[in-house]
C-alpha cells in the first residue's frame, strides 16, 4: 500500500541537504531532500510503500507494531526478520506494518556516515505511517509501537524524542530500538518510553554509548537490555558478516542482561 508522507511540522526545516548541515537537514519538510543517497533529488511531497498484515479474521482497529528496516533497506535477510517478527506479533493479536523508507525514494542504502541524517528523516516516515493507521481505523490510537533495527533502531530513538512526540497529533505507545546507533543522543528528553536491545559485542554501534544514553536521559523511561556474547545482526542467525571495518558473528547464544 501507499502511505502519504507529511513533514510539515515546526521541528522540521526547509533547508536542503549539504555536507555542512546534513544533521539539521535530516529534520526535513521535504520527502526527498537532496542527500547523496537520493542523488541530489528534491521533492516536497511523496509516499511510502508498506505491507499491512492483520491477524486472520480481524479488520481493526487493533494494537499495531510498525517494523523499520536497517540502513540496507528491505533486503531478503531483513524481509525474513520482518516476517519472523510479524508472525509473533500476529499471534498476540497485533497488526503489523512493514514500512519501506527507501523504495519510493529510489534509495539503495544509507549505511555509514548518513545514518544520523537518515534516522531523523525516517522518524517522520514512522509518524506518517502512524497517522495512516489511525485515520483509516486499522489501529487503536495510543496502542501503536515502533520496532526498528540498526538505522531503523536509531530512528526509533529519535521518534521517542520529546520534540517529535509533542509536535504530532498521534502518539506512539513506545518504541523498541534493536542494535541502534546512539552517538550524540545522550542527555536527551524523551516523550514516550524507549527500550533498547543491543549486543555486547556490537561492532557497528557501540553499546557503551547506548548505555550512556539510558543513564542520562530525561522524561519518559529508557530501558536497555544488553545481550552477552553477540554482536550486530544477532537476530539473523546468518554467517559472519563485515561492515564499516568491523566483523560480527550472528550465531552466538543470547544471554540477556539489563
Amino acid at each position: 500500500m501507499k502511505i502519504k508522507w507529511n513533514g510539515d511540522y515546526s521541528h522540521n526545516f526547509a533547508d536542503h541537504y549539504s555536507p555542512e548541515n546534513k544533521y539539521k537537514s535530516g529534520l526535513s519538510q521535504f520527502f526527498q531532500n537532496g542527500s547523496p543517497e537520493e542523488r541530489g533529488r528534491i521533492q516536497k511531497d511523496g509516499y511510502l510503500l508498506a505491507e499491512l498484515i492483520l491477524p486472520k479474521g480481524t479488520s481493526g482497529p487493533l494494537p499495531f507494531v510498525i517494523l523499520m528496516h536497517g540502513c540496507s533497506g528491505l533486503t531478503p535477510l531483513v524481509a525474513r526478520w520482518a516476517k519472523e517478527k510479524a508472525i509473533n506479533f500476529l499471534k498476540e493479536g497485533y497488526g503489523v506494518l512493514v514500512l519501506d523508507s527507501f523504495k519510493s525514494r529510489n534509495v539503495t542504502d544509507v549505511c555509514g556516515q548518513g545514518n544520523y541524517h537518515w534516522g531523523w528523516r525516517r522518524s517522520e516516515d514512522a509518524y506518517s505511517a502512524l497517522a495512516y493507521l489511525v485515520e483509516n481505523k486499522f489501529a487503536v490510537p495510543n496502542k501503536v509501537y515502533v520496532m526498528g533495527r540498526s538505522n531503523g533502531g536509531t530512528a526509533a530513538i529519535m521518534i521517542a524524542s520529546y520534540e517529535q512526540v509533542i509536535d504530532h497529533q498521534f502518539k506512539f505507545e513506545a518504541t523498541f530500538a534493536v542494535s541502534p546507533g546512539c552517538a550524540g543522543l545522550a542527555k536527551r528528553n524523551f516523550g514516550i518510553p524507549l527500550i533498547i536491545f543491543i549486543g555486547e559485542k556490537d561492532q557497528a554501534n557501540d553499546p557503551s554509548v547506548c548505555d550512556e544514553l539510558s543513564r542520562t536521559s530525561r522524561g519518559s523511561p529508557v530501558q536497555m537490555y544488553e545481550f552477552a556474547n553477540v554482536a550486530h545482526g544477532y537476530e539473523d542467525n546468518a554467517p559472519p558478516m563485515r561492515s564499516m571495518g568491523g566483523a560480527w558473528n550472528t550465531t552466538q547464544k543470547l544471554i540477556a542482561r539489563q
Side-chain angles (χ1 to χ4, degrees):
M1 61 176 52
K2 293 182 177 180
I3 294 173
K4 180 177 173 57
W5 184 88
N6 185 15
D8 288 328
Y9 298 98
S10 61
H11 59 264
N12 290 333
F13 301 93
D15 299 16
H16 300 313
Y17 180 93
S18 73
E20 293 74 31
N21 80 342
K22 62 182 177 179
Y23 297 110
K24 178 182 176 183
S25 64
L27 293 163
S28 178
Q29 296 174 0
F30 286 79
F31 178 70
Q32 291 192 291
N33 203 31
S35 72
E37 295 83 8
E38 297 164 297
R39 299 172 181 84
R41 288 185 296 268
I42 295 171
Q43 180 180 327
K44 173 64 174 176
D45 299 312
Y47 64 88
L48 300 161
L49 298 176
E51 180 182 4
L52 180 74
I53 313 170
L54 301 176
K56 188 176 293 186
T58 64
S59 59
L62 298 168
F64 248 85
V65 179
I66 296 174
L67 297 176
M68 301 186 73
H69 58 74
C71 69
S72 58
L74 271 171
T75 62
L77 184 69
V78 177
R80 186 181 73 186
W81 169 84
K83 182 178 180 180
E84 291 171 352
K85 286 287 179 282
I87 289 171
N88 291 329
F89 291 130
L90 292 168
K91 288 178 181 177
E92 299 298 324
Y94 286 80
V96 176
L97 187 81
V98 183
L99 187 60
D100 190 336
S101 290
F102 293 169
K103 189 170 184 179
S104 59
R105 290 182 170 109
N106 295 311
V107 169
T108 303
D109 71 68
V110 299
C111 299
Q113 294 302 311
N115 268 1
Y116 287 88
H117 172 88
W118 279 96
W120 288 118
R121 293 278 301 277
R122 298 180 67 200
S123 65
E124 218 60 82
D125 295 358
Y127 277 103
S128 296
L130 171 63
Y132 176 88
L133 290 172
V134 174
E135 289 171 353
N136 287 278
K137 301 188 185 308
F138 288 114
V140 177
N142 298 319
K143 288 295 179 184
V144 183
Y145 303 82
V146 170
M147 176 175 279
R149 58 178 280 159
S150 195
N151 181 254
T154 301
I157 294 173
M158 295 167 173
I159 289 161
S161 296
Y162 181 76
E163 62 269 25
Q164 293 275 341
V165 173
I166 63 168
D167 223 7
H168 290 93
Q169 178 183 0
F170 301 113
K171 310 287 190 282
F172 288 101
E173 181 75 3
T175 66
F176 298 86
V178 181
S179 303
C182 298
L185 298 175
K187 300 180 182 180
R188 182 162 294 275
N189 190 12
F190 290 99
I192 55 175
L194 164 66
I195 301 91
I196 298 171
F197 302 98
I198 194 165
E200 176 189 42
K201 297 182 179 180
D202 193 314
Q203 292 172 313
N205 295 316
D206 187 346
S208 68
V209 180
C210 293
D211 180 59
E212 181 187 9
L213 181 157
S214 69
R215 290 185 289 101
T216 62
S217 64
R218 296 173 287 121
S220 295
V222 176
Q223 294 175 277
M224 175 174 154
Y225 295 87
E226 186 173 336
F227 294 90
N229 301 317
V230 295
H232 203 75
Y234 62 82
E235 296 180 292
D236 295 330
N237 194 30
M241 301 165 59
R242 183 173 293 275
S243 177
M244 289 165 32
W248 61 77
N249 190 305
T250 63
T251 58
Q252 301 288 339
K253 181 180 179 182
L254 300 185
I255 305 172
R257 71 187 187 200
Q258 185 176 357

